[in-house]
Amino acid sequence: MRFLILGNEKKLQVREQAELLAREIPAAGGQVVLIDLNSESNLEHVEADVALVLGGDGAILRASRQMNTHQIPVLGINYGRLGFLADLSTDEVLPQLKSVVEGRFRLCKHLMFECEIEGNGKFHKYLGLNEVVIRSSPPFHMVDLSLSIDGEEVSRFLGDGIIVSTPIGSTAYSLAAGGPILSQELPVFVITQMCGHTLTYRPLVDSAQKTYSIRLEATDGACVVIDGQELIELASLQTVTVRKSAVEFQTIKVGSKTYYRTLRDKLNWGTTPNYRGNKLS
Amino acid sequence: MRFLILGNEKKLQVREQAELLAREIPAAGGQVVLIDLNSESNLEHVEADVALVLGGDGAILRASRQMNTHQIPVLGINYGRLGFLADLSTDEVLPQLKSVVEGRFRLCKHLMFECEIEGNGKFHKYLGLNEVVIRSSPPFHMVDLSLSIDGEEVSRFLGDGIIVSTPIGSTAYSLAAGGPILSQELPVFVITQMCGHTLTYRPLVDSAQKTYSIRLEATDGACVVIDGQELIELASLQTVTVRKSAVEFQTIKVGSKTYYRTLRDKLNWGTTPNYRGNKLS
Amino acid sequence: MRFLILGNEKKLQVREQAELLAREIPAAGGQVVLIDLNSESNLEHVEADVALVLGGDGAILRASRQMNTHQIPVLGINYGRLGFLADLSTDEVLPQLKSVVEGRFRLCKHLMFECEIEGNGKFHKYLGLNEVVIRSSPPFHMVDLSLSIDGEEVSRFLGDGIIVSTPIGSTAYSLAAGGPILSQELPVFVITQMCGHTLTYRPLVDSAQKTYSIRLEATDGACVVIDGQELIELASLQTVTVRKSAVEFQTIKVGSKTYYRTLRDKLNWGTTPNYRGNKLS
Amino acid sequence: MRFLILGNEKKLQVREQAELLAREIPAAGGQVVLIDLNSESNLEHVEADVALVLGGDGAILRASRQMNTHQIPVLGINYGRLGFLADLSTDEVLPQLKSVVEGRFRLCKHLMFECEIEGNGKFHKYLGLNEVVIRSSPPFHMVDLSLSIDGEEVSRFLGDGIIVSTPIGSTAYSLAAGGPILSQELPVFVITQMCGHTLTYRPLVDSAQKTYSIRLEATDGACVVIDGQELIELASLQTVTVRKSAVEFQTIKVGSKTYYRTLRDKLNWGTTPNYRGNKLS
């Protein structure tokens, strides 16, 4: 079993943890192919079986985009906030290392998107895992957006912007904007409005087989943000197109924790207000 | 092409319209097999190609449950409110009749659910198209419900109740309770809370391949409502199980109106507030 | 200092706690005027300075309506859920008893409403503290309501119903239906829709000096529920009128706990999702 | 009656309309004291009875801040979107001019806020009418804010930001972020979260007599936006304080249109979905 070790060395303990793993993996019978704690390597030609990512969901999102069209299964080790993607905490990783080296884990595949931005003769393409946000930027006037699905113009938005999210992304920004939780394996996107003046709008859950185009009709300042990490300025009449990517993000699950359990642990999803002395809690 | 004519003769014009169609269908080359304007026939052994349903979404929901495991493609003729299912208005039906008789239409298939209610040694099974609502009834104290998905207890609800809705049902009661819009062809259910004291709850969109069980933990009065039409009393510790039905609901589409167009027409979905003299409208 | 002791003796420990207090109050220099654990006494002519209410917010709501136009300051002792009104828990009451007997406490006054139901020649009047709910009842079809404020017809509702809530009630049912939190001392009502098909509706916070009339335009079953405790059937074209009552509900505050603290403790209001290893929690 | 004429001459027709009014006002018996279509005059020492503002709510917000501590009653003439403040449309103004000149109108007074931003030894003070927004700016990472009310730290926010809005502002940005509608005369603020990860947060309506302080705990980019028009960068540990201003904004009402009517006309507030052939519409 060949391992990549990725992460952000600026975060506390990441360098130290990487070195510890680099010693322990061979001892457990595995092989460390590459350590990159600065997101600087081109991973498209690196052959490995597992990418150990140190540092929470943000680090995993970054690793996923770094691997680009050559996705290696990710085992995330959580240092950060809200670990929906990171399966293990730092103290769980060593006890589980043997299992991973011996291939005793489940592999889950997840929808990724590609996002094209066209306009002014330019054309850019991005890959992502969580969401595409088209939003107002300073001076923060309303953006006016039109949404087309498979070529049909379906809706108009006035407000802070809209989010096209995958199921993985549905518990991140889209949730904060009022979107539903999507079970992680569904082949769907959700389109959620941010602070919209369109009072009749409700989030739309629609097929990942369709193509979603958002045109910026007019603006005093707008941008696209991908996975909360890449920011691209957007001008009037530019169009952002989102569709399912051909590649899939892959996660390694070693524990028995289910998605619903994670929802309860991380979001307090569906837990009841505080009671004194009641039988429910 | 063999036709059933269904509907509710208590509604204005339904009887008259049914008689008109019974004359015009043979003239257009079709055959009327049965007219039932009282929902009283057992349709399970009736052979027909098209069920013309007069009277809006409510009539179609009723017809669908009346056909039970033997679903005949439905062409709905809208007299009522909010026609998401009824494709034609009364003045569109005669001009389109020739097309229908000649089989020039699209057939859409839709997820139906079956709902089992067990407890106290009793066991009942229902078929439906829109949603199952488990809700408090007089004296309207909070209900305390637990939700299991594929046998795993995933959440607890305190409030007015919860809704398990199909995509077709997502624009009905679930939407009113804060649920998202689900594109009609998706193989998913959405579980939406009604007036919940569980502030962290968000609607969950999950696979239609899974089995959803809701147990009534304690109550002073609760019931199950199916498609807004069947009401069954529920006692403490009874369990309501919802899963995908083996049969599918089928609709006939003759016009060119898309689902997104219907969303805009019926819900004003994604339309902007009223402006004076602006270029957007 | 003269004490009433009220509560629901069917609840565990209430009888026992009442007897304990009946012994301890004289020892602390106070006087017990009446003990009623069945809500059966007419309290309108009882002279007392403090009503000790054993049993949570529900018991306090009941006590408040029992006192009717003769409101005695309430000190609530919390056995139940979500104590927004009950200031003390059972183990805090004895240590604080001396302070109360000696009058060392703050008195807070709160808006109460009166609710008149007219129609069919009948006329009924109710007093309440939390909210008036006008809602559908079995068979649970939509209710169609019109709202007038100070005689001007201002809005129409289709859905499960509407809630007219006081600030005290704003953290109860109205909150579950999507209403805002109102600071307890404000002279306002909030009108919140329950599962409305009126997608453009937003909760309206308006002056408690105004008169709110809700007319039931058409129904297959509807009722009025006051403070979650009184249920009155409602027929088509009956009107429910809500206005500020001349009497005020009074609570005794002995602790230093603020309203905002209660919001955090009871509702987890404004607390952040669960993190691993972060400095915020 | 002495008139100011204000507005934005870059907008179509504003210059032309201003000249028309400058001719018609003397003819009706009034006096034009000043015309400023570039927001460049210091209005603090201008004596006038009515400020005619050409150009919608945005122009009125700007005029209100331009008048600063010397508020002159505003009559707004609506060219733009969503006229909650502008009472007349361009074709209504001439027929009503006589009434205005003769003083036949109602005067409404409205809550304004002052906003202080302190930190790094600097101190700035702003006056406004709608709302203070504290929000993330590029690269659009979450902001972490703490809210204190009258010196008590009451809540913590993670998300896009928060809004402190007046009743006048409640139908603008706060509404888009999920806030309630506040009747225009209420002495309250509403604090609304924007795309918050704090799932238990609900908008808080609280007294305008209190002082609201929001501290930016940590950030990679944040700013304050006042009335959608002034943008001030904000650094970590800076505090933004909002309180009731000593001055009040004043509007002149000549028509009979009520606030509830405006809600219906502008927001479709409380109007029902589209129906075919039903008796409600």
Side-chain angles (χ1 to χ4, degrees):
Chain A
M1 199 68 66
R2 297 160 303 173
F3 289 79
L4 276 182
I5 302 179
L6 304 174
N8 178 359
E9 70 174 358
K10 287 179 198 144
K11 290 221 172 173
L12 216 66
Q13 298 182 304
V14 163
R15 165 63 58 190
E16 183 186 347
Q17 182 81 11
E19 285 166 1
L20 176 64
L21 286 165
R23 285 192 303 271
E24 297 289 337
I25 287 168
Q31 179 191 351
V32 176
V33 171
L34 181 78
I35 302 180
D36 176 5
L37 304 182
N38 297 301
S39 306
E40 65 196 4
S41 310
N42 181 341
L43 302 178
E44 299 211 42
H45 303 289
V46 174
E47 293 303 320
D49 304 297
V50 175
L52 284 177
V53 181
L54 309 178
D57 287 358
I60 294 176
L61 290 171
R62 195 172 301 278
S64 162
R65 285 205 320 287
Q66 194 183 352
M67 294 188 282
N68 205 358
T69 58
H70 183 61
Q71 294 286 319
I72 296 161
V74 162
L75 176 58
I77 297 155
N78 196 351
Y79 293 72
R81 296 173 174 179
L82 276 176
F84 274 99
L85 296 172
D87 196 50
L88 296 178
S89 60
T90 48
D91 42 335
E92 290 166 324
V93 62
L94 284 189
Q96 297 281 2
L97 201 53
K98 194 79 185 160
S99 303
V100 177
V101 169
E102 293 172 357
R104 284 182 277 120
F105 52 74
R106 286 172 300 130
L107 203 60
C108 296
K109 297 189 171 189
H110 299 288
L111 178 63
M112 295 187 77
F113 60 83
E114 55 179 48
C115 168
E116 292 173 6
I117 304 178
E118 8 176 350
N120 302 324
K122 291 174 289 181
F123 182 92
H124 292 286
K125 199 165 171 174
Y126 302 88
L127 182 73
L129 179 55
N130 260 11
E131 79 280 290
V132 177
V133 179
I134 296 108
R135 66 182 304 158
S136 69
S137 58
F140 292 113
H141 295 169
M142 284 198 297
V143 289
D144 173 6
L145 303 169
S146 63
L147 167 69
S148 297
I149 302 181
D150 280 352
E152 178 186 354
E153 186 168 331
V154 300
S155 190
R156 197 74 176 257
F157 299 84
L158 281 179
D160 275 9
I162 67 172
I163 301 167
V164 182
S165 173
T166 64
I168 288 278
S170 72
T171 47
Y173 203 3
S174 174
L175 189 72
I181 296 169
L182 307 178
S183 188
Q184 294 200 327
E185 78 281 10
L186 296 176
V188 300
F189 290 117
V190 59
I191 295 106
T192 309
Q193 190 184 224
M194 299 156 63
C195 296
H197 290 273
T198 309
L199 296 187
T200 53
Y201 187 76
R202 293 295 180 273
L204 172 69
V205 179
D206 210 335
S207 171
Q209 299 302 326
K210 296 180 183 171
T211 297
Y212 300 82
S213 294
I214 297 104
R215 196 166 78 138
L216 179 59
E217 297 295 336
T219 186
D220 300 304
C223 62
V224 179
V225 183
I226 293 173
D227 287 358
Q229 297 182 339
E230 301 239 18
L231 187 154
I232 305 104
E233 297 286 334
L234 205 65
S236 284
L237 303 183
Q238 280 195 289
T239 295
V240 179
T241 301
V242 184
R243 65 170 70 82
K244 185 182 191 305
S245 168
V247 297
E248 288 178 305
F249 175 67
Q250 300 170 58
T251 52
I252 283 174
K253 299 280 179 197
V254 291
S256 59
K257 190 182 254 193
T258 67
Y259 180 59
Y260 305 112
R261 172 76 187 279
T262 304
L263 288 177
R264 289 198 303 279
D265 286 354
K266 297 296 178 186
L267 299 180
N268 288 323
W269 180 70
T271 56
T272 51
N274 289 340
Y275 298 145
R276 280 195 189 140
N278 81 71
K279 59 183 177 172
L280 297 179
S281 54
Chain B
M1 197 70 66
R2 298 159 303 174
F3 288 79
L4 275 181
I5 301 178
L6 304 175
N8 178 359
E9 71 174 359
K10 288 179 197 143
K11 290 221 173 173
L12 216 66
Q13 298 181 304
V14 164
R15 164 64 56 193
E16 184 185 346
Q17 182 80 11
E19 285 166 1
L20 176 65
L21 286 165
R23 287 192 304 273
E24 295 292 336
I25 286 168
Q31 178 191 351
V32 176
V33 171
L34 181 77
I35 300 179
D36 175 7
L37 303 181
N38 296 301
S39 306
E40 65 195 5
S41 310
N42 181 341
L43 302 178
E44 299 210 43
H45 304 290
V46 174
E47 293 302 321
D49 304 297
V50 175
L52 283 178
V53 180
L54 309 177
D57 288 357
I60 293 176
L61 289 172
R62 195 172 301 280
S64 162
R65 286 206 320 286
Q66 193 184 352
M67 293 189 282
N68 204 358
T69 58
H70 183 61
Q71 294 287 319
I72 296 159
V74 162
L75 177 57
I77 296 155
N78 195 351
Y79 292 73
R81 296 174 175 180
L82 275 178
F84 274 98
L85 296 172
D87 196 50
L88 296 178
S89 61
T90 49
D91 42 336
E92 291 167 323
V93 62
L94 284 189
Q96 297 280 5
L97 201 53
K98 193 78 185 161
S99 303
V100 177
V101 168
E102 293 172 357
R104 286 183 276 118
F105 53 74
R106 288 172 298 130
L107 203 60
C108 296
K109 297 191 170 187
H110 298 288
L111 179 64
M112 296 187 76
F113 62 82
E114 56 179 49
C115 169
E116 292 173 5
I117 304 177
E118 14 177 342
N120 302 327
K122 288 175 291 182
F123 183 92
H124 292 286
K125 200 165 171 174
Y126 302 87
L127 183 73
L129 178 55
N130 261 8
E131 80 279 292
V132 176
V133 180
I134 297 107
R135 67 182 301 160
S136 70
S137 58
F140 292 113
H141 295 169
M142 285 197 296
V143 288
D144 173 7
L145 302 169
S146 64
L147 166 69
S148 297
I149 302 181
D150 279 353
E152 178 186 352
E153 185 167 331
V154 300
S155 191
R156 197 76 176 256
F157 300 83
L158 282 178
D160 275 9
I162 68 173
I163 302 168
V164 182
S165 173
T166 65
I168 289 277
S170 73
T171 47
Y173 203 2
S174 174
L175 190 71
I181 296 170
L182 308 178
S183 189
Q184 294 199 328
E185 78 282 10
L186 296 177
V188 300
F189 290 116
V190 58
I191 296 104
T192 309
Q193 190 184 224
M194 299 156 63
C195 295
H197 290 273
T198 308
L199 297 187
T200 53
Y201 187 76
R202 293 295 180 275
L204 172 70
V205 179
D206 210 337
S207 169
Q209 300 302 328
K210 296 179 183 172
T211 298
Y212 300 83
S213 293
I214 297 104
R215 195 164 80 136
L216 179 59
E217 297 295 334
T219 187
D220 299 304
C223 63
V224 179
V225 182
I226 292 173
D227 287 357
Q229 297 182 338
E230 301 239 19
L231 188 155
I232 306 105
E233 298 285 335
L234 205 65
S236 283
L237 303 182
Q238 279 194 290
T239 295
V240 179
T241 301
V242 183
R243 65 170 69 83
K244 185 182 192 300
S245 168
V247 297
E248 288 177 305
F249 175 67
Q250 299 170 60
T251 52
I252 283 173
K253 300 280 179 197
V254 291
S256 60
K257 191 181 252 193
T258 68
Y259 179 58
Y260 305 111
R261 173 76 187 278
T262 304
L263 288 177
R264 289 197 303 280
D265 287 356
K266 297 298 177 187
L267 299 180
N268 288 321
W269 178 70
T271 57
T272 51
N274 290 340
Y275 298 144
R276 277 194 191 141
N278 82 70
K279 58 183 178 167
L280 298 177
S281 57
Chain C
M1 196 70 66
R2 297 158 304 172
F3 289 80
L4 274 182
I5 302 178
L6 304 175
N8 178 358
E9 71 174 359
K10 287 180 196 143
K11 289 221 174 173
L12 216 65
Q13 300 181 303
V14 163
R15 163 66 55 194
E16 184 186 345
Q17 182 80 13
E19 286 166 0
L20 176 66
L21 286 166
R23 286 192 305 272
E24 296 291 335
I25 287 167
Q31 177 190 353
V32 177
V33 171
L34 180 78
I35 301 180
D36 176 5
L37 304 181
N38 297 302
S39 305
E40 63 196 6
S41 310
N42 182 341
L43 303 178
E44 299 209 44
H45 304 290
V46 174
E47 292 303 321
D49 304 296
V50 175
L52 283 177
V53 180
L54 309 177
D57 287 357
I60 293 176
L61 290 171
R62 195 172 302 279
S64 161
R65 287 206 318 288
Q66 192 183 352
M67 294 188 282
N68 205 358
T69 57
H70 184 60
Q71 295 287 319
I72 296 160
V74 162
L75 176 57
I77 296 156
N78 196 352
Y79 292 73
R81 297 172 175 183
L82 275 177
F84 273 99
L85 296 173
D87 196 50
L88 296 177
S89 61
T90 48
D91 41 336
E92 291 167 323
V93 63
L94 284 189
Q96 297 280 5
L97 201 53
K98 194 79 185 161
S99 303
V100 178
V101 168
E102 293 172 358
R104 286 183 276 118
F105 52 73
R106 286 172 299 131
L107 202 60
C108 296
K109 296 190 172 190
H110 299 287
L111 179 64
M112 296 188 77
F113 60 83
E114 56 180 48
C115 169
E116 293 174 4
I117 305 177
E118 11 176 347
N120 301 324
K122 289 174 293 184
F123 182 91
H124 293 285
K125 199 165 172 175
Y126 302 86
L127 182 72
L129 179 55
N130 261 8
E131 80 279 291
V132 176
V133 180
I134 297 108
R135 66 181 302 159
S136 70
S137 58
F140 292 113
H141 295 170
M142 285 196 296
V143 288
D144 172 8
L145 302 169
S146 64
L147 167 69
S148 297
I149 302 182
D150 279 352
E152 178 187 353
E153 185 168 330
V154 299
S155 190
R156 197 74 177 259
F157 300 83
L158 281 178
D160 275 10
I162 68 172
I163 302 168
V164 182
S165 174
T166 64
I168 288 276
S170 72
T171 48
Y173 203 3
S174 174
L175 189 72
I181 296 169
L182 307 179
S183 188
Q184 294 200 327
E185 78 281 10
L186 296 176
V188 301
F189 290 116
V190 57
I191 295 108
T192 309
Q193 189 184 225
M194 299 157 63
C195 296
H197 290 273
T198 309
L199 296 187
T200 53
Y201 187 75
R202 293 297 179 274
L204 172 70
V205 179
D206 210 337
S207 170
Q209 299 302 327
K210 297 180 182 172
T211 298
Y212 299 83
S213 294
I214 297 104
R215 195 166 80 136
L216 179 60
E217 297 296 335
T219 187
D220 299 304
C223 62
V224 179
V225 183
I226 292 173
D227 287 357
Q229 298 182 338
E230 301 240 19
L231 188 154
I232 306 105
E233 299 285 334
L234 204 66
S236 285
L237 303 183
Q238 279 194 290
T239 294
V240 179
T241 301
V242 183
R243 66 169 67 83
K244 185 182 192 307
S245 167
V247 297
E248 287 177 306
F249 174 68
Q250 299 170 59
T251 52
I252 283 173
K253 300 282 179 197
V254 291
S256 60
K257 192 181 251 194
T258 67
Y259 180 58
Y260 306 111
R261 171 78 187 277
T262 304
L263 289 176
R264 289 199 303 280
D265 287 354
K266 297 297 177 186
L267 299 180
N268 288 321
W269 179 71
T271 56
T272 52
N274 289 340
Y275 298 145
R276 278 195 190 138
N278 82 70
K279 58 183 177 167
L280 299 178
S281 57
Chain D
M1 197 70 65
R2 298 158 302 172
F3 289 78
L4 275 181
I5 302 179
L6 304 174
N8 179 359
E9 72 175 356
K10 288 181 195 141
K11 291 222 172 173
L12 217 64
Q13 298 182 304
V14 163
R15 164 65 55 191
E16 184 186 346
Q17 182 80 13
E19 286 166 1
L20 176 65
L21 286 164
R23 285 193 303 273
E24 296 290 338
I25 287 168
Q31 175 192 354
V32 177
V33 170
L34 180 78
I35 301 181
D36 176 4
L37 304 181
N38 297 301
S39 305
E40 65 197 4
S41 310
N42 181 340
L43 303 179
E44 299 210 43
H45 304 288
V46 174
E47 293 302 320
D49 304 297
V50 175
L52 283 179
V53 181
L54 310 177
D57 287 357
I60 293 175
L61 290 172
R62 194 172 302 278
S64 161
R65 286 206 318 288
Q66 192 184 352
M67 294 188 282
N68 203 0
T69 56
H70 184 60
Q71 295 286 319
I72 296 160
V74 163
L75 176 58
I77 296 155
N78 195 352
Y79 292 73
R81 299 173 172 177
L82 276 175
F84 273 99
L85 296 173
D87 196 50
L88 295 177
S89 62
T90 49
D91 42 334
E92 292 167 323
V93 63
L94 284 188
Q96 298 279 3
L97 201 54
K98 193 80 185 158
S99 303
V100 177
V101 168
E102 294 172 356
R104 284 183 276 118
F105 51 74
R106 286 173 299 130
L107 202 60
C108 296
K109 297 190 171 188
H110 298 288
L111 179 63
M112 295 187 77
F113 60 82
E114 57 180 45
C115 168
E116 292 173 4
I117 304 178
E118 6 177 350
N120 301 325
K122 288 174 291 182
F123 183 92
H124 293 287
K125 199 163 171 175
Y126 301 87
L127 182 72
L129 180 54
N130 262 8
E131 79 278 291
V132 177
V133 180
I134 296 108
R135 66 182 304 159
S136 70
S137 59
F140 292 114
H141 296 169
M142 286 195 297
V143 289
D144 173 7
L145 303 169
S146 63
L147 168 69
S148 297
I149 302 182
D150 277 353
E152 178 187 353
E153 185 168 330
V154 300
S155 190
R156 196 73 177 258
F157 300 83
L158 281 177
D160 275 9
I162 67 172
I163 302 167
V164 182
S165 174
T166 64
I168 288 277
S170 72
T171 48
Y173 203 3
S174 174
L175 190 72
I181 296 170
L182 307 178
S183 189
Q184 294 200 327
E185 78 281 9
L186 296 176
V188 300
F189 291 116
V190 59
I191 295 108
T192 309
Q193 190 184 222
M194 299 157 63
C195 295
H197 290 273
T198 308
L199 297 186
T200 52
Y201 188 75
R202 293 295 180 274
L204 172 70
V205 179
D206 210 336
S207 169
Q209 299 302 327
K210 296 180 183 172
T211 298
Y212 300 82
S213 294
I214 297 105
R215 196 166 78 137
L216 179 60
E217 297 295 337
T219 186
D220 300 303
C223 62
V224 179
V225 184
I226 293 172
D227 286 358
Q229 298 181 338
E230 300 240 19
L231 188 154
I232 305 105
E233 298 285 334
L234 205 64
S236 285
L237 303 183
Q238 280 194 289
T239 294
V240 179
T241 301
V242 184
R243 65 171 68 82
K244 185 181 192 306
S245 168
V247 296
E248 288 178 305
F249 175 68
Q250 300 171 58
T251 52
I252 283 174
K253 300 279 179 199
V254 291
S256 60
K257 190 182 254 194
T258 68
Y259 180 58
Y260 306 111
R261 172 76 188 279
T262 304
L263 288 177
R264 288 198 305 280
D265 286 355
K266 297 296 177 186
L267 299 180
N268 289 320
W269 180 70
T271 57
T272 52
N274 290 339
Y275 299 145
R276 277 191 191 142
N278 80 70
K279 58 181 178 169
L280 298 176
S281 55

